[in-house]
Amino acid sequence: MTPEEIARIHQSFGAQSMMETLGATLEDVTRGSITITAPILPGAMQQQGFGHAGLTFSIGDSAAGYAALTTLPLDSEVVTAEIKINLLAPAMGDRLIAVGKVVKPGKRLCVVTSEVFAETDGTRKLIAILQGTMVPVAG
């Protein structure tokens, strides 16, 4: 990826107040793949003391969307048309790591996936899988 393409991803991510609220950070940007991390903060817990599924979904959706954006021209953006999540285990740990990937890029639709891991002391556990469709739109 060119420096301009990478900068576009970072600039767009920086404009997302939701990611800022969650304490999420953009960790890795490569063509077709994005990694986003977020701490499991006290304000993002559910009633049983686990990270809320909304946190898991939010960073998984963003990782998948930005993965799609890495495959598109600089004057494009993406929006989520549909995305589903399978929650596999409770979000227990220090932080969540979402790795978004492009399954099939396209000019009209991009099929994407995201795996979300809970990490404790450097050990990761897969807790969710997302699959969806992103729609390219004018930037």
Side-chain angles (χ1 to χ4, degrees), residues 16-101:
Q16 283 201 10
S17 61
M18 177 66 147
M19 292 297 107
E20 183 179 349
T21 298
L22 297 174
T25 57
L26 191 56
E27 298 291 329
D28 188 46
V29 177
T30 58
R31 187 164 316 281
S33 180
I34 294 286
T35 302
I36 295 173
T37 64
I40 302 175
L41 299 171
M45 307 290 269
Q46 50 90 286
Q47 73 279 6
Q48 295 169 315
F50 309 130
H52 196 283
L55 171 63
T56 303
F57 186 87
S58 293
I59 68 167
D61 174 54
S62 286
Y66 281 116
L69 191 58
T70 67
T71 67
L72 297 172
L74 286 173
D75 62 348
S76 295
E77 282 287 341
V78 296
V79 294
T80 304
E82 59 84 28
I83 195 161
K84 69 166 287 226
I85 188 170
N86 290 99
L87 298 165
L88 308 173
M92 297 187 311
D94 302 318
R95 68 181 186 153
L96 299 184
I97 301 163
V99 180
K101 296 187 178 186

